[in-house]
Amino acid sequence: MQVPLLDLKAQYATIKDDILSAVSEVLETQRCIGGPKVDEFEKAVAEVCDCKYAVGTSSGTDAILATLMALDIGEGDEVITTPYTFFATAGCIARTGAKPVFVDIDPKTYNIDPAGIEAVITDNTKAIMPVHLFGQICDMDPIMAIAGTYGLAVIEDACQSVTSTYKGKKACSIGTAGCLSFFPSKNLGGIGDGGMVVTNDEKLYKQLQYLRNHGMEAQYVHKKVGGNFRLDPIQAAALLVKLPHLDEWSQGRRDNAAYYDKKFAGTCVQTPYISPDCKSIFNQYVIRVPKRDALLEHLRASDIGCNIYYPIPLHLQDCFADLNYKQGDFPVSEQAAKETIALPIYPELTDEMKDHVVKTVLDFLE
Ligand SMILES: *Cc1c(COP(=O)(O)O)cnc(C)c1O
């Protein structure tokens, strides 16, 4: 039996007609940039995030970049984040000219450990960028308290955690702004690239609206340098079809996670830890195991999809050599990078598929 890490065709089969007619509607109008579909989708996403404003962007990466630019973060500034994340988080900080400053993660949640933040704050620190990894929000209360004390902005990288909650609050509604990605493998995935910045800050919202369009406030009048960070209406139309299914899809992932948790209980497999403060959307189901690399080989040879998120922590990437970090600086992240592996968790998995994954993992490890 083959079990892919993600099967987007299974999801597409359930909404194909709606997607085709929504896309066709945009094509018939030939309004291919901006317009009512983008406006409608922004309003809908702001609402599900319990926020006032949302600005569609060309990707999650551009959502992060545009937010940093809107907050005037650049040369000479420092932004605190985690080394255990997708590259875009720190890549965007570096692209503004600012310096990414890393803080190690909590070994249970894999999210930034708030206890390490205060020690790295300097006069140049402008913002903290917590990343809500794998679908679970960071421990935000201590992060917001530190940000308040030092007057720092908080940019939530919620690219893996749309509609996830922390103490009843939605991702993106806790910090200064939150960034979402609609990359196809995210819980709310487009038919190509897309992203969004969500915020309650009206000034930031207005800045983002023109920054995503080359900083153009009135036609051909530019007060600030922006970029082409716009969300396509074809993406907005497809995502508007998918959004009403998001809760049911995320619940399917949570149910699958509970199923795996039960089957792996009492074995050498360490299942994901979800804080009682959080409701995860399980963008990934990441286990920690002995003999991780051998298991990866074995699963791949057995036609079971799996992947490592992430094999090289960002402080050890060549492109950040000038930050002068070294092996051993963030031991919790480095160990997680060696011991964790993501298993298939998408909602359309059948019980037979999950049983096969569990059996293949346990037969190999035990
Ligand atoms: C996917 C992702 C991004 C980037 O989103 P794109 O839409 O692929 O540009 C940023 N941060 C995290 C944590 C992500 O998972």
Side-chain angles (χ1 to χ4, degrees):
M1 184 193 287
Q2 277 190 338
V3 187
L5 184 59
L6 176 64
D7 181 5
L8 289 171
K9 284 185 182 167
Q11 181 195 76
Y12 182 56
T14 67
I15 50 171
K16 183 174 175 175
D17 292 343
D18 294 342
I19 295 274
L20 288 175
S21 70
V23 168
S24 159
E25 197 186 314
V26 174
L27 291 177
E28 289 304 323
T29 65
Q30 278 302 299
R31 177 86 203 239
C32 294
I33 300 288
K37 282 287 174 196
V38 174
D39 296 346
E40 187 186 341
F41 182 55
E42 287 173 343
K43 282 205 181 73
V45 172
E47 196 177 311
V48 299
C49 294
D50 292 340
C51 283
K52 285 194 197 139
Y53 311 108
V55 179
T57 57
S58 30
S59 65
T61 303
D62 288 340
I64 296 169
L65 183 63
T67 304
L68 289 164
M69 290 169 77
L71 292 167
D72 288 318
I73 289 168
E75 204 78 47
D77 297 333
E78 295 174 5
V79 179
I80 297 169
T81 192
T82 162
Y84 198 66
T85 174
F86 178 60
F87 179 77
T89 316
C92 289
I93 297 168
R95 282 172 67 192
T96 66
K99 183 174 150 188
V101 174
F102 297 120
V103 167
D104 211 351
I105 55 170
D106 175 284
K108 280 155 78 186
T109 63
Y110 308 110
N111 282 333
I112 191 168
D113 183 354
I117 294 177
E118 219 160 349
V120 299
I121 292 177
T122 72
D123 290 345
N124 297 325
T125 308
K126 288 283 150 37
I128 306 171
M129 200 180 318
V131 179
H132 306 325
L133 208 64
F134 305 145
Q136 173 168 228
I137 297 182
C138 298
D139 188 10
M140 291 302 287
D141 278 353
I143 295 173
M144 294 310 294
I146 295 165
T149 303
Y150 293 90
L152 308 175
V154 175
I155 304 165
E156 297 176 59
D157 180 339
C159 287
Q160 298 183 11
S161 293
V162 60
T163 69
S164 188
T165 63
Y166 169 82
K167 299 188 178 177
K169 293 180 194 154
K170 291 276 177 71
C172 301
S173 75
I174 306 167
T176 315
C179 298
L180 299 175
S181 165
F182 308 120
F183 186 80
S185 70
K186 310 292 164 134
N187 284 43
L188 181 61
I191 51 174
D193 279 309
M196 197 161 285
V197 186
V198 183
T199 184
N200 281 311
D201 183 325
E202 190 181 3
K203 188 169 157 235
L204 188 63
Y205 166 65
K206 289 193 167 146
Q207 291 247 339
L208 285 163
Q209 275 186 318
Y210 69 81
L211 274 175
R212 73 165 156 190
N213 194 20
H214 292 294
M216 195 151 73
E217 276 189 86
Q219 202 171 31
Y220 307 128
V221 179
H222 307 262
K223 283 203 183 132
K224 267 175 107 171
V225 176
N228 175 353
F229 302 138
R230 297 180 298 254
L231 177 71
D232 287 339
I234 283 193
Q235 295 305 330
L239 287 159
L240 274 166
V241 170
K242 291 192 176 195
L243 184 60
H245 298 280
L246 178 58
D247 282 346
E248 150 209 335
W249 289 335
S250 294
Q251 188 55 46
R253 286 168 180 263
R254 272 193 294 272
D255 292 345
N256 288 342
Y259 191 97
Y260 279 142
D261 284 353
K262 225 183 195 164
K263 301 267 169 172
F264 285 130
T267 72
C268 64
V269 171
Q270 193 180 316
T271 53
Y273 169 81
I274 304 302
S275 155
D277 291 332
C278 293
K279 192 169 175 188
S280 175
I281 60 160
F282 280 99
N283 181 246
Q284 300 293 346
Y285 183 88
V286 174
I287 58 172
R288 201 189 272 260
V289 290
K291 298 189 286 180
R292 193 275 315 271
D293 290 342
L295 177 65
L296 177 81
E297 292 294 310
H298 180 71
L299 291 178
R300 289 200 169 145
S302 312
D303 277 330
I304 291 177
C306 54
N307 211 352
I308 313 254
Y309 302 108
Y310 294 88
I312 306 172
L314 299 185
H315 67 289
L316 301 176
Q317 298 286 350
D318 287 346
C319 65
F320 290 140
D322 60 345
L323 297 176
N324 287 316
Y325 289 112
K326 57 184 188 312
Q327 189 92 36
D329 281 347
F330 304 108
V332 185
S333 300
E334 290 168 27
Q335 197 175 344
K338 290 193 181 86
E339 297 178 348
T340 59
I341 183 167
L343 300 179
I345 192 68
Y346 63 92
E348 294 84 6
L349 286 172
T350 63
D351 286 354
E352 291 67 34
M353 292 164 109
K354 283 173 284 188
D355 289 341
H356 181 61
V357 171
V358 171
K359 185 173 186 312
T360 311
V361 169
L362 292 181
D363 281 353
F364 181 77
L365 291 177
E366 295 193 327

